[in-house]
Amino acid sequence: MIYLDNAATTLIKPKCVIDAANKCIKHFAANPGRSGHRLAQMASEAVYECRSTVANFLNSEHEENVIFTLNATHALNVAIKGTVKENAHVLISDIEHNATLRPVIALTKTKNVSYSVYESGENIVESINKSIRPETTHIICNLVSNVSGREISLETISNIAQKHNLYLIADASQKIGHSKIDLKATPCDCLCAPAHKGLYGIQGAGFAIFKDNTRGETIMEGGSGADSKAPDMPRFLPEGYEAGTLPTPAIVALGAGIKFINKVGISKIEERIRVLSNALNERLKSIKGLTMTEENDLGVTSFNLCGFRSEGLAYYLNGHGICTRAGLHCAPLAHKLYGTDTYGSVRVSLSYFNKMGDIDYLYKTLKELV
Amino acid sequence: MRGTTILFKSSTYAYKAKKLFWRNGIEATVIKLNRKSAAGCEHGVDIPTENFYSAINILKKFGIEYSVYRGET
């Protein structure tokens, strides 16, 4: 199979990730932060080391501000519902995933929150400035669209947030692992990401890294391994947001994935994705009747082919051993932006492990159909 | 080791302290106490008593909350 659905989850994992998860499951997947026996301590230390690895990777010195979640959606729910207060006004971009859009819409019902959608294109600064109101407290931003690969500059959005004293939440799901994120250079109040996409971890873990160590409201309460007598979750991070047993094997795999990226070099990965993306763009553009949502070099794009519904096209590609994703990609705002909100589009998304031959085979298969 | 035990509000901070102690040449072991301290904390780091003041200075420098356990571990 040719796997081109890496924006959903990366399929090919580095050997070191598989080995790390296996070793953890076999030897020390006890409950971290709870018991005092040797295996629980090994699990605790492994989880702590992964917090450090995540923080270092993002150039933050505060590993205690890394909270582990089940995935990026969970992390975004924690960040959004935990920090947006009643009657607040929130800004979201026109390329947000439902992982952001739905929690914000839920808050309009439970906390009388209102929101405005700003443009992610060339007019982004003007659009945000126009949308800011006296009651605006938050700006939320998908750094790379999972539909088109459009990028919102973290630097731009971070500057705007600081200038207007807005709380910035960034969704790095499609950016992390593909290009460098430096939280010292581009401060962000909270950045959320999954383990299983560009970081090559396995499904079951994600994280949010906060600038401050004090938690907001919780969306889930339970055992935390700290301050057990207290009726409430701890006020500090990370335990304040981590109710219940952590997915230790997935966290350990995440740490191994980041170490793999560090070993290869993020700039080398970025370059590989850029070269493959440019080749993909050139080939897709040359197919008559094919319309791309947007050209970019970030490893995510989607398209439609005249005369075919996206599901039918993906079905055809699947029949030829090519895995893509069709339909609406949990991002209705982005589909509206590109005029693909009725039938969606076929998404092709790359990872470091894709080869030029994969792009050539996709091109050949589409050409045969045309 | 049976030295002095410094307590932390959770295992995360205990491991952070351990890392900082080792970086500064202080041997440290994370332990979980059998009994809770007055602060309700169960995670501690055992260090040689002669390194106590150096260890406290490191914690202060990095702003890590701690308390000192004076019972049996």
Side-chain angles (χ1 to χ4, degrees):
Chain A
M1 294 293 282
I2 305 288
Y3 189 80
L4 298 172
D5 195 17
N6 294 285
T9 195
T10 48
L11 183 77
I12 299 173
K13 308 295 182 187
K15 185 176 177 297
C16 62
V17 168
I18 296 164
D19 289 347
N22 269 334
K23 187 179 167 194
C24 175
I25 292 165
K26 280 182 186 167
H27 300 295
F28 63 92
N31 204 326
R34 272 43 171 197
S35 309
H37 56 78
R38 194 168 64 87
L39 297 180
Q41 297 225 9
M42 282 172 76
S44 302
E45 188 150 24
V47 168
Y48 172 75
E49 277 176 14
C50 185
R51 283 192 215 280
S52 294
T53 305
V54 170
N56 289 338
F57 185 65
L58 298 168
N59 199 18
S60 162
E61 286 163 6
H62 299 287
E63 61 268 36
E64 65 275 19
N65 292 358
V66 173
I67 67 144
F68 289 120
T69 57
L70 300 175
N71 45 49
T73 298
H74 182 197
L76 283 159
N77 269 267
V78 168
I80 294 167
K81 291 178 178 168
T83 60
V84 177
K85 295 193 165 56
E86 282 201 15
N87 304 317
H89 176 248
V90 175
L91 302 176
I92 64 171
S93 81
D94 57 8
I95 56 168
E96 294 307 316
H97 188 275
N98 274 339
T100 286
L101 181 60
R102 285 179 172 168
V104 169
I105 289 174
L107 288 179
T108 65
K109 295 165 190 166
T110 57
K111 286 188 176 176
N112 195 33
V113 164
S114 58
Y115 72 94
S116 301
V117 178
Y118 60 87
E119 291 175 36
S120 56
E122 287 174 5
N123 298 326
I124 185 166
V125 178
E126 194 187 346
S127 179
I128 291 171
N129 286 336
K130 262 195 226 165
S131 308
I132 294 174
R133 302 179 194 165
E135 66 271 28
T136 307
T137 58
H138 283 61
I139 183 161
I140 310 177
C141 158
N142 183 1
L143 297 178
V144 173
S145 165
N146 67 308
V147 173
S148 64
R150 176 181 287 188
E151 183 175 23
I152 294 179
S153 155
L154 182 55
E155 188 182 356
T156 303
I157 217 87
S158 177
N159 288 338
I160 294 171
Q162 287 177 79
K163 185 179 165 192
H164 295 281
N165 197 25
L166 300 177
Y167 192 97
L168 170 59
I169 299 174
D171 174 3
S173 297
Q174 302 300 337
K175 183 178 172 74
I176 201 156
H178 282 193
S179 53
K180 192 168 173 57
I181 298 174
D182 184 334
L183 293 179
K184 254 188 201 150
T186 49
C188 182
D189 293 288
C190 178
L191 182 131
C192 303
H196 62 96
K197 296 185 180 183
L199 297 179
Y200 301 108
I202 59 174
Q203 292 164 8
F207 66 86
I209 177 165
F210 288 84
K211 194 159 82 178
D212 294 330
N213 189 255
T214 309
R215 74 158 171 79
E217 285 180 44
T218 51
I219 61 165
M220 197 164 82
E221 297 80 29
S224 63
D227 214 1
S228 298
K229 270 188 179 172
D232 298 321
M233 292 296 286
R235 296 296 307 175
F236 55 85
L237 305 189
E239 286 80 5
Y241 278 132
E242 291 178 345
T245 300
L246 292 173
T248 308
I251 290 169
V252 167
L254 164 64
I258 294 175
K259 282 174 189 163
F260 167 80
I261 291 167
N262 287 335
K263 194 174 169 189
V264 173
I266 190 88
S267 52
K268 192 175 168 188
I269 292 173
E270 193 170 10
E271 176 63 10
R272 167 87 66 101
I273 299 281
R274 192 182 65 76
V275 168
L276 290 173
S277 296
N278 288 336
L280 178 67
N281 291 337
E282 290 309 310
R283 283 160 181 71
L284 289 181
K285 272 194 307 185
S286 72
I287 296 171
K288 202 176 170 188
L290 188 146
T291 317
M292 292 169 69
T293 47
E294 199 162 307
E295 269 186 62
N296 68 79
D297 56 7
L298 297 168
V300 183
T301 194
S302 67
F303 62 89
N304 277 295
L305 194 52
C306 190
F308 296 91
R309 290 247 180 119
S310 63
E311 284 88 355
L313 195 49
Y315 182 79
Y316 163 79
L317 292 170
N318 183 50
H320 287 75
I322 301 172
C323 304
T324 59
R325 180 174 171 187
L328 301 170
H329 308 291
C330 303
L333 295 175
H335 282 288
K336 198 173 171 193
L337 176 70
Y338 296 110
T340 54
D341 48 334
T342 307
Y343 298 116
S345 55
V346 176
R347 183 179 68 192
V348 175
S349 49
L350 308 169
S351 94
Y352 177 72
F353 292 103
N354 280 118
K355 296 180 174 67
M356 199 57 85
D358 300 344
I359 310 288
D360 290 337
Y361 184 66
L362 171 73
Y363 172 70
K364 183 174 152 275
T365 309
L366 286 169
K367 280 288 279 185
E368 279 172 8
L369 178 67
V370 172
Chain B
M1 197 195 308
R2 276 290 183 269
T4 300
T5 301
I6 303 174
L7 298 176
F8 298 92
K9 52 192 179 184
S10 75
S11 66
T12 304
Y13 295 88
Y15 283 104
K16 179 162 184 149
K18 180 189 166 185
K19 181 181 78 178
L20 294 171
F21 292 159
W22 277 96
R23 275 189 191 163
N24 287 278
I26 300 172
E27 195 186 338
T29 311
V30 174
I31 56 165
K32 184 163 186 289
L33 304 182
N34 293 326
R35 296 183 304 181
K36 283 187 179 180
S37 73
C41 176
E42 297 169 282
H43 299 276
V45 174
D46 213 10
I47 55 160
T49 303
E50 64 266 28
N51 294 129
F52 177 72
Y53 289 106
S54 314
I56 296 302
N57 283 337
I58 292 165
L59 297 175
K60 282 181 177 167
K61 184 180 166 192
F62 285 90
I64 300 174
E65 285 177 40
Y66 66 92
S67 58
V68 181
Y69 187 70
R70 301 197 186 279
E72 266 182 47
T73 58

